[in-house]
Amino acid sequence: MSTKIRKWLNQHKDEATDFLQKLVQEGSEQGNEFGVQQLVKKQLERLGLDVDYWIPDGDELINHRYFCATRTDFSKSPNVVGTWKGDGGGKSLVLNGHIDVVPPGDLKQWEHPPYSGYIEDGKMFGRGVTDMKGGNLALLLAIQCLKELNVSLKGDVLFHSVIEEESGGAGTLAAVLRGHTADAALVPEPTNMKIFPKQQGSIWFRLTVNGMSAHGGTRYEGVSAIEKSVHVIQAIQKLEYERNNRVEDPLYQNTPIPLPINIGKIEGGNWPSSVPDEVFIEGRIGVGPNESLESVKEEFEYAMCKIEDNWLQQHPVQVEWFGAQWLPGSIDLEHELMGILQKKYEEVVGEPAVIEASPWGTDGGLLTQVGNTPSIVFGPGVTAYAHYPNEYIELEKVFQAAEIFSLIIYEWCEGEGL
Amino acid sequence: MSTKIRKWLNQHKDEATDFLQKLVQEGSEQGNEFGVQQLVKKQLERLGLDVDYWIPDGDELINHRYFCATRTDFSKSPNVVGTWKGDGGGKSLVLNGHIDVVPPGDLKQWEHPPYSGYIEDGKMFGRGVTDMKGGNLALLLAIQCLKELNVSLKGDVLFHSVIEEESGGAGTLAAVLRGHTADAALVPEPTNMKIFPKQQGSIWFRLTVNGMSAHGGTRYEGVSAIEKSVHVIQAIQKLEYERNNRVEDPLYQNTPIPLPINIGKIEGGNWPSSVPDEVFIEGRIGVGPNESLESVKEEFEYAMCKIEDNWLQQHPVQVEWFGAQWLPGSIDLEHELMGILQKKYEEVVGEPAVIEASPWGTDGGLLTQVGNTPSIVFGPGVTAYAHYPNEYIELEKVFQAAEIFSLIIYEWCEGEGL
C-alpha cells in the first residue's frame, strides 16, 4: 500500500511543486483571498469532490461569542470546503488549512520577492509557503493520490480552505457553523513535523496607563505614566512567572516559557520635556490548552488591579481585549488519531515523532471547542520563519507530509483498493 | 517718583490691555511670528526707539556651538530690537522677551479659543499670554511710561523681541551675536513674580534600545526591547537620584527634584504578539546653573553604557542629543541688579520677594554665557499653565511688573526727570 502511494507521489512532485508555486504567487493577504480560492476550488472540482464555496456572513457571525475579526465584510474572501463523501460506516476527518497569509513586511529584507515562489536547493521561498500553503498542498496531494489510485473510503474527508486564521479564525468558525465538522481533524500548520496534540490559545490585550501631565522641569508636580508603566510591566512579568509555575504538563517540559505573556508594543507621551500622562501597552497572553479564555482574562485583570502602587490603586490600569484571539485546543493523547499519526510518521520518516504542545494558537481550537472536532496540529514547514522575511519550506517535507496524510486518511476513513 | 509712575500706569491700563490682547490674537507659533513682530516694531517706533529689525541668518548661525534649532530658514520670522539710547555714562540694560508661543495643543481642552485673548475676572486667556507676552507687555509699558513722563537715562535700554525661545533660543543667539548686549538683563518669563537668579538649563535626549524579534508565543527565543527599556528607565531614575543628591544650593531647598530628568516619550514594537526589537525613548535632562552641557551629556552617556545587564552591555543603548537645548544661567546673588530688583519689588508689592532657582531654561542662559550679560528671570504669569490649555495671566500682575520694571530702569540706568 505505502509503496504505491510513495511511487505515485514521486511521479507527481513536479506537478505538485508547480501548483504550490501558483498558490504562493496568489499572495492572499487579508481581503485578497479571492484569486487563490479560485485555484483551490478548481482543483477540488477536478478531484471530483463536492465543493461548497461561499461568502461568510459577517452580520451573522458577529453574534457568535468566539467571533473575533477586524471586519465583517468578507465579500471578496470566500471560504471553500471540498467533501469526499465516503461510502458510509466509517469515521470522518476534517483536513483544515487556512489560505490567508500575513503581510510580507519590509520588502527590503526579502532576498526574493515575497510572492515569487522562488525555488533553490529544494526550498521554495515566499510569504505563506510555510504558513501554511505547503501544508495545504500536502493535504490536497494526499486526496489526489488516493483518488487517482482509485481508493474508496467509508468515512468522509472534508478539506477546509479557510480565510482569516491570521486574524482570529472567522473562516474556520464559519465552516464549522455551516456544519463542516467531523470525528477528528488534522491541521497542518508548520510544526516542523512535530505532533502538537495541545495548542496554546492566545488573546490580545491593550492597556491604558494614566498619569498626570506637568512640565518636565517640575516633573514632581505630575505623575509619569511611563514610570507607572514600569510597575505594570513588572506585574505582567510576575503574572507570567506565576502562571508558568503552575504548568505541569510534560508536553511543556522542554519549553522555557510554556504560556508566555508577550508585551509587543508600547507608546506614550508626546513631548520630551512634558510628563507623559498616558501610555498604551499592547500584548498577547498565552491560554493553556485546558484553560478558558474567560478565566485567563479574569486572572490578568485581577493582576492589573492589584498592582501595589498608590497611584495605580486610585487610577487603575484599563484593560481591553481587542484584535485577535485564538482558542486553545487539546486532544486526548490516547485518541485513536494520535496513535495512527505516530505510527504512520514512524513508518514514513523512520524514527519516532516528537510530541509537544504548541506555543501558539491555530484554528484547531475552534474546531475542537465550537465544532466538537478534536484536532491535531502537524505539518511541514519551518516555524521560525512563519511570519518573517524569506519564509521558506523544504519541498521534501511537504511530500513526506503528503505521504503520511495519505496513509492516515486510508486507515482512519477505512480505505479500500490498495 | 513712584507715585507718578503708578498714576501713569493706572491711566493706561485699558490701552495696555488692548495692546496685550492684540499681541495674543497674533498667534505667533514657530514660523508664524511675522504679524506680531510688525505690531512690536510699530510700537517701538512710536515710542521713539532705534529699531533694528532683521531676519536671522540661519546659514551663519548654524556654525555657532550653541545654535540649536529645527530650522535654518527664518525668512518669515524677524527679530526686533529697540534701543533707547542713553545720554552716556550709565549702565545699560537688556529687557529680553521671546515672542514665539508653543502650539495650543488639543483645542477641545480650551474653554475659549486659544487666540481670543478673552478677558474675565481680571484674567486674560490665550496661548502665550503668560509665556510670555504678558511679560513683554510689562517691559514695553515700563519704557512707554518713562518716555511719556519725559524721563532721560544715562544708560541704554535694549528691548529684545526675539523668536525661537521655545525651540532652542536662536532668536536671542542672533540678537546677542549682532551686538545687542548690555551690563545686565531682565527676562520676564512667567515666574509668578518670584526672582530667579539661577536658571536651570536642559538638553533633550533620544535613546534607542535594541532587542531581538521573535514570535510572541516563543518569546524566549527573542529579547524584548521593552523589557530592556525597564532597565534603562531605572538607570535614568538612579542617575537623577545621584545628581540631585549632590545639589547643595540653598535656592533649591524647597524644590523636590532640583535637576529633573524627564522621560517624556516612549515608543516601541509594532505587533502585540511579536517580541519588540526596538524602543525609542525621548526626554530632557536638567543642567544645573553651574554645570556645562558637555559634562552633563558625558555623565548621562556614561550611565547609559554602565547599565548592569549582559544584553545591554553587548548592545549598548544609543544616545542622541537632539531638538532643543537651553544653556543654564546664573547671576551673582550680590549683583547690584539683584539688590535693586528686590528693593523695588518690596516697594511695589509690600512684602519681600521670593528668590529661587528656576526649574527650566530661558534665553537668560544665552545672554549670560554668549552675550556676557548676567540675567535675572522675573515676571508675571502663572507658570503652571505656561504650556497648557486655558493659559492665562492676571492683568494686575502685569501692571505690577511694569511698575517694578519702570523703577528698576530708572535706577539702574540713572534716570532723571521724575
Side-chain angles (χ1 to χ4, degrees):
Chain A
M1 173 186 79
S2 72
T3 321
K4 281 191 189 169
I5 288 172
R6 186 168 295 179
K7 189 175 163 204
W8 185 94
L9 284 169
N10 278 333
Q11 288 167 344
H12 291 77
K13 283 183 177 178
D14 288 350
E15 181 192 321
T17 303
D18 281 354
F19 189 57
L20 178 56
Q21 199 174 42
K22 284 201 182 69
L23 293 178
V24 171
Q25 287 166 350
E26 288 282 351
S28 45
E29 298 166 35
Q30 192 193 46
N32 199 28
E33 311 87 339
F34 186 83
V36 76
Q37 292 287 57
Q38 305 311 309
L39 288 184
V40 172
K41 178 170 174 273
K42 232 167 83 179
Q43 178 70 357
L44 294 174
E45 286 166 351
R46 207 169 72 82
L47 298 178
L49 272 61
D50 296 336
V51 176
D52 186 10
Y53 169 99
W54 81 103
I55 299 295
D57 184 347
D59 296 333
E60 222 179 274
L61 289 172
I62 202 171
N63 298 314
H64 195 279
R65 69 186 287 216
Y66 289 132
F67 177 75
C68 176
T70 53
R71 55 173 177 166
T72 54
D73 177 7
F74 299 102
S75 54
K76 287 175 182 156
S77 308
N79 253 352
V80 183
V81 171
T83 302
W84 179 352
K85 201 77 198 133
D87 300 328
K91 292 184 296 294
S92 56
L93 185 64
V94 159
L95 307 172
N96 174 285
H98 69 84
I99 203 68
D100 56 313
V101 303
V102 296
D106 182 4
L107 294 182
K108 289 192 297 291
Q109 294 189 44
W110 286 81
E111 281 179 43
H112 310 286
Y115 296 122
S116 64
Y118 180 85
I119 300 170
E120 192 172 60
D121 293 338
K123 296 172 183 167
M124 187 180 294
F125 291 81
R127 169 55 80 230
V129 73
T130 201
D131 185 9
M132 61 177 281
K133 289 175 177 175
N136 293 355
L137 192 271
L139 296 176
L140 284 169
L141 209 51
I143 293 170
Q144 183 182 358
C145 168
L146 297 179
K147 276 279 183 186
E148 296 193 1
L149 292 176
N150 292 314
V151 165
S152 69
L153 303 174
K154 287 194 179 158
D156 300 343
V157 171
L158 296 89
F159 175 80
H160 290 184
S161 179
V162 295
I163 61 166
E164 210 71 359
E165 190 272 344
E166 299 289 0
S167 314
T172 287
L173 181 63
V176 158
L177 295 177
R178 206 168 161 95
H180 295 303
T181 59
D183 293 316
L186 288 172
V187 183
E189 289 266 10
T191 69
N192 233 341
M193 305 293 268
K194 293 177 186 174
I195 297 175
F196 290 173
K198 300 190 182 184
Q199 306 121 49
Q200 184 176 137
S202 64
I203 356 174
W204 285 5
F205 56 82
R206 181 187 290 124
L207 310 179
T208 307
V209 184
N210 291 115
M212 191 170 71
S213 199
H215 188 287
T218 51
R219 73 175 201 82
Y220 42 84
E221 292 172 353
V223 175
S224 165
I226 291 176
E227 285 184 16
K228 293 302 168 193
S229 294
V230 169
H231 297 300
V232 175
I233 292 168
Q234 288 169 335
I236 290 174
Q237 290 169 330
K238 184 164 162 267
L239 176 66
E240 185 192 57
Y241 177 81
E242 287 166 1
R243 281 173 53 74
N244 283 284
N245 243 357
R246 296 199 302 253
V247 175
E248 287 176 349
D249 192 326
L251 286 190
Y252 279 120
Q253 68 185 2
N254 295 322
T255 312
I257 310 175
L259 304 175
I261 311 182
N262 184 69
I263 300 173
K265 207 173 156 180
I266 189 166
E267 203 177 321
N270 48 33
W271 195 250
S273 75
S274 293
V275 176
D277 64 350
E278 211 167 38
V279 169
F280 303 102
I281 293 172
E282 290 181 5
R284 66 80 92 180
I285 177 166
V287 178
N290 299 310
E291 288 185 306
S292 71
L293 299 189
E294 290 69 23
S295 67
V296 173
K297 285 180 184 178
E298 259 174 44
E299 189 179 6
F300 186 86
E301 286 167 10
Y302 185 77
M304 288 300 102
C305 82
K306 283 292 165 202
I307 298 173
E308 282 173 26
D309 177 88
N310 284 341
W311 173 266
L312 290 175
Q313 282 297 313
Q314 275 154 38
H315 306 83
V317 178
Q318 294 150 57
V319 183
E320 288 168 82
W321 302 99
F322 81 110
Q325 67 180 25
W326 286 267
L327 287 177
S330 176
I331 194 171
D332 191 336
L333 294 182
E334 307 303 318
H335 191 283
E336 191 187 342
L337 189 61
M338 276 297 289
I340 297 178
L341 173 51
Q342 288 173 78
K343 192 177 65 186
K344 299 304 175 192
Y345 179 92
E346 203 161 336
E347 263 179 53
V348 171
V349 181
E351 55 190 46
V354 177
I355 302 177
E356 282 184 4
S358 89
W360 23 253
T362 72
D363 276 353
L366 282 165
L367 281 163
T368 308
Q369 292 200 36
V370 182
N372 200 21
T373 304
S375 306
I376 304 173
V377 180
F378 164 81
V382 184
T383 324
Y385 282 82
H387 286 208
Y388 292 94
N390 304 315
E391 180 177 344
Y392 73 89
I393 201 163
E394 294 165 78
L395 291 167
E396 215 39 60
K397 293 285 170 65
V398 176
F399 301 125
Q400 225 172 31
E403 189 175 343
I404 295 166
F405 293 143
S406 306
L407 295 168
I408 292 172
I409 296 168
Y410 194 78
E411 181 156 339
W412 176 263
C413 300
E414 297 175 54
E416 280 176 14
L418 291 183
Chain B
M1 175 188 80
S2 71
T3 321
K4 281 191 188 169
I5 289 172
R6 187 169 293 178
K7 190 176 161 202
W8 185 95
L9 284 169
N10 279 333
Q11 288 167 344
H12 290 79
K13 283 184 176 176
D14 289 350
E15 181 192 320
T17 304
D18 282 355
F19 189 57
L20 178 56
Q21 200 174 42
K22 284 201 181 71
L23 293 178
V24 171
Q25 287 168 349
E26 288 283 350
S28 45
E29 299 166 36
Q30 191 193 48
N32 198 28
E33 310 88 339
F34 185 82
V36 75
Q37 292 286 58
Q38 305 310 310
L39 288 183
V40 172
K41 178 171 174 275
K42 233 168 83 181
Q43 179 71 356
L44 294 173
E45 286 166 350
R46 207 169 69 84
L47 297 178
L49 272 61
D50 297 336
V51 176
D52 186 11
Y53 169 98
W54 80 102
I55 299 296
D57 183 347
D59 296 333
E60 223 178 275
L61 289 172
I62 202 171
N63 298 313
H64 195 279
R65 68 186 287 216
Y66 289 132
F67 176 75
C68 175
T70 53
R71 55 175 176 164
T72 53
D73 177 6
F74 300 101
S75 54
K76 286 173 184 160
S77 308
N79 253 353
V80 183
V81 171
T83 302
W84 179 352
K85 202 76 197 134
D87 300 328
K91 293 185 295 297
S92 57
L93 185 65
V94 158
L95 307 172
N96 174 286
H98 69 83
I99 203 69
D100 57 311
V101 303
V102 297
D106 183 4
L107 294 183
K108 289 194 298 290
Q109 294 189 46
W110 286 81
E111 281 178 42
H112 309 287
Y115 296 122
S116 64
Y118 179 83
I119 300 170
E120 193 172 59
D121 294 339
K123 296 171 183 166
M124 187 180 292
F125 291 82
R127 168 56 78 233
V129 72
T130 201
D131 185 9
M132 61 179 282
K133 289 175 177 174
N136 294 355
L137 191 272
L139 296 176
L140 285 169
L141 209 50
I143 293 169
Q144 185 182 356
C145 167
L146 297 179
K147 276 280 184 185
E148 297 194 358
L149 292 175
N150 292 312
V151 164
S152 68
L153 303 174
K154 287 192 180 161
D156 300 344
V157 171
L158 295 89
F159 175 81
H160 290 184
S161 180
V162 294
I163 61 166
E164 210 69 359
E165 191 273 343
E166 299 290 0
S167 314
T172 287
L173 180 63
V176 157
L177 295 177
R178 206 168 161 93
H180 296 303
T181 58
D183 293 316
L186 288 172
V187 183
E189 290 266 11
T191 69
N192 233 340
M193 306 293 267
K194 291 178 188 171
I195 297 174
F196 289 173
K198 299 190 183 183
Q199 306 121 49
Q200 185 177 135
S202 64
I203 356 175
W204 286 4
F205 55 82
R206 181 187 291 124
L207 310 179
T208 306
V209 184
N210 291 113
M212 192 171 71
S213 199
H215 188 287
T218 50
R219 74 174 199 84
Y220 42 83
E221 291 172 353
V223 175
S224 165
I226 292 176
E227 285 185 13
K228 293 303 168 193
S229 295
V230 169
H231 297 299
V232 174
I233 293 167
Q234 288 169 334
I236 291 174
Q237 290 169 329
K238 183 161 162 272
L239 176 66
E240 186 192 56
Y241 178 80
E242 287 166 358
R243 281 174 53 75
N244 283 283
N245 243 358
R246 297 198 302 252
V247 175
E248 287 176 351
D249 192 327
L251 287 189
Y252 279 121
Q253 69 187 1
N254 295 320
T255 311
I257 310 174
L259 303 176
I261 311 181
N262 184 70
I263 300 172
K265 206 174 157 179
I266 189 166
E267 204 179 320
N270 47 32
W271 195 250
S273 75
S274 293
V275 176
D277 63 352
E278 211 166 39
V279 169
F280 303 100
I281 293 172
E282 290 180 5
R284 66 80 93 180
I285 178 166
V287 179
N290 299 309
E291 288 185 308
S292 72
L293 300 187
E294 290 67 25
S295 67
V296 172
K297 286 180 182 176
E298 259 173 42
E299 189 179 5
F300 186 87
E301 287 168 9
Y302 184 77
M304 288 300 101
C305 81
K306 283 292 165 199
I307 298 173
E308 282 173 24
D309 177 89
N310 283 341
W311 173 266
L312 290 176
Q313 281 298 313
Q314 276 155 36
H315 305 82
V317 178
Q318 294 149 57
V319 183
E320 287 167 83
W321 302 100
F322 82 111
Q325 67 181 25
W326 286 266
L327 287 177
S330 176
I331 194 173
D332 191 338
L333 295 183
E334 307 303 318
H335 192 281
E336 191 187 341
L337 189 61
M338 277 295 290
I340 297 178
L341 173 51
Q342 286 173 77
K343 191 178 66 186
K344 299 304 176 189
Y345 179 91
E346 202 161 337
E347 262 178 53
V348 171
V349 181
E351 55 189 45
V354 176
I355 301 177
E356 282 184 1
S358 88
W360 23 252
T362 71
D363 276 353
L366 283 164
L367 281 164
T368 308
Q369 292 200 35
V370 182
N372 199 23
T373 304
S375 306
I376 304 173
V377 180
F378 164 81
V382 184
T383 325
Y385 281 82
H387 287 207
Y388 293 93
N390 304 313
E391 179 177 345
Y392 72 91
I393 201 162
E394 294 166 77
L395 291 168
E396 215 37 61
K397 293 288 170 65
V398 176
F399 302 125
Q400 227 173 29
E403 190 176 342
I404 295 166
F405 293 144
S406 306
L407 295 167
I408 292 171
I409 295 169
Y410 193 78
E411 182 157 337
W412 177 263
C413 299
E414 297 174 53
E416 281 176 16
L418 292 183

